[in-house]
Amino acid sequence: MPEHDPRRDRSTILPTAAAGFFLYFAAALLLMHVIRPDYTMVDHMISDYAVGRFGWIMTTAFVSLAIGCLTLAIGLFRAGPTSWLGRTGAALLVVAFAGLIVTALFPTDLETAPSTPTGDIHTISFLVNIVSILLSTICLSLSYAAEPRWRPRRAAVLVSAGLLIAAFIGQYLTLHRGAPYGITNRLFVAALITWLILNSLWLKLAMIQRREFGTA
């Protein structure tokens, strides 16, 4: 029987933890829909859940999402694509981590409330998050398709990345009063969480395959 090496068990901790943080965000967001039915999905962004009763739950969700991005980025730096595109994609997730922490610390202004400096900071962080995540998605997608170790997942990568970009376009086109921006916001977030969880699982599989190849 081969000797057990505890380092092998620790090798996939980062992507596993990242997936856990992303799943917590999804669970917390679903819970907010149950306990805050007064925030209708049509005309409320998910950031609104951080304002008012049980707002701390949404705040912890944003923090969890931020830590998940950081954890995934570290894992990608260690075992992800080694091209400059792959490294850039991982670095942009670190930018998203910083932006999401700001998002958590500075709640948004509700549409019916007057503008505040806190809400303005939240809006700026939202833009930083969106840009960094979309650029990270593009960089990682191209890097996965270019490297042989990741190429078998090329189709899944391109489809999931394409859905995320399409969801963003839908969100952007509805960012005005009277449009169902709350629904498109949730579609974008669903596509984003799916993309992040899939990246975590792909990284975990890549780590396992590299470990098995190295010990074969």
Side-chain angles (χ1 to χ4, degrees):
M1 179 180 296
E3 182 180 354
H4 177 71
D5 185 353
R7 291 176 297 179
R8 298 179 186 175
D9 297 333
R10 293 195 296 266
S11 65
T12 58
I13 286 178
L14 287 171
T16 301
F21 286 121
F22 297 141
L23 286 172
Y24 173 82
F25 172 86
L29 179 56
L30 289 174
L31 176 63
M32 293 307 297
H33 285 77
V34 175
I35 62 180
R36 291 305 307 266
D38 51 314
Y39 283 175
T40 56
M41 289 192 295
V42 175
D43 55 2
H44 281 276
M45 306 279 273
I46 67 165
S47 291
D48 292 353
Y49 288 125
V51 180
R53 291 182 298 116
F54 307 110
W56 63 271
I57 298 177
M58 196 65 225
T59 298
T60 63
F62 282 130
V63 171
S64 183
L65 181 59
I67 297 174
C69 287
L70 179 61
T71 306
L72 178 58
I74 296 172
L76 287 168
F77 277 125
R78 290 187 176 183
T82 58
S83 65
W84 69 269
L85 280 170
R87 298 303 189 189
T88 301
L92 286 165
L93 286 177
V94 178
V95 177
F97 157 75
L100 285 163
I101 290 296
V102 174
T103 297
L105 293 176
F106 295 88
T108 188
D109 294 323
L110 297 179
E111 185 178 11
T112 56
S115 178
T116 66
T118 296
D120 292 340
I121 293 174
H122 180 94
T123 300
I124 294 172
S125 71
F126 168 76
L127 296 175
V128 171
N129 300 338
I130 291 293
V131 172
S132 59
I133 287 174
L134 286 177
L135 290 177
S136 173
T137 299
I138 294 171
C139 289
L140 289 175
S141 299
L142 294 175
S143 67
Y144 290 166
E147 295 195 16
R149 186 162 59 99
W150 297 84
R151 198 168 295 154
R153 302 181 183 90
R154 177 171 51 188
V157 167
L158 294 177
V159 169
S160 54
L163 289 175
L164 177 58
I165 293 172
F168 164 74
I169 294 173
Q171 172 77 99
Y172 176 77
L173 293 176
T174 56
L175 285 177
H176 55 84
R177 189 183 296 273
Y181 52 83
I183 293 177
T184 56
N185 179 234
R186 284 159 177 77
L187 291 174
F188 173 75
V189 170
L192 171 61
I193 291 301
T194 300
W195 164 256
L196 291 171
I197 290 176
L198 285 175
N199 274 268
S200 301
L201 296 178
W202 291 328
L203 179 61
K204 182 175 181 177
L205 289 173
M207 286 180 166
I208 293 172
Q209 291 170 355
R210 188 177 70 171
R211 183 184 67 194
E212 292 177 346
F213 179 78
T215 58

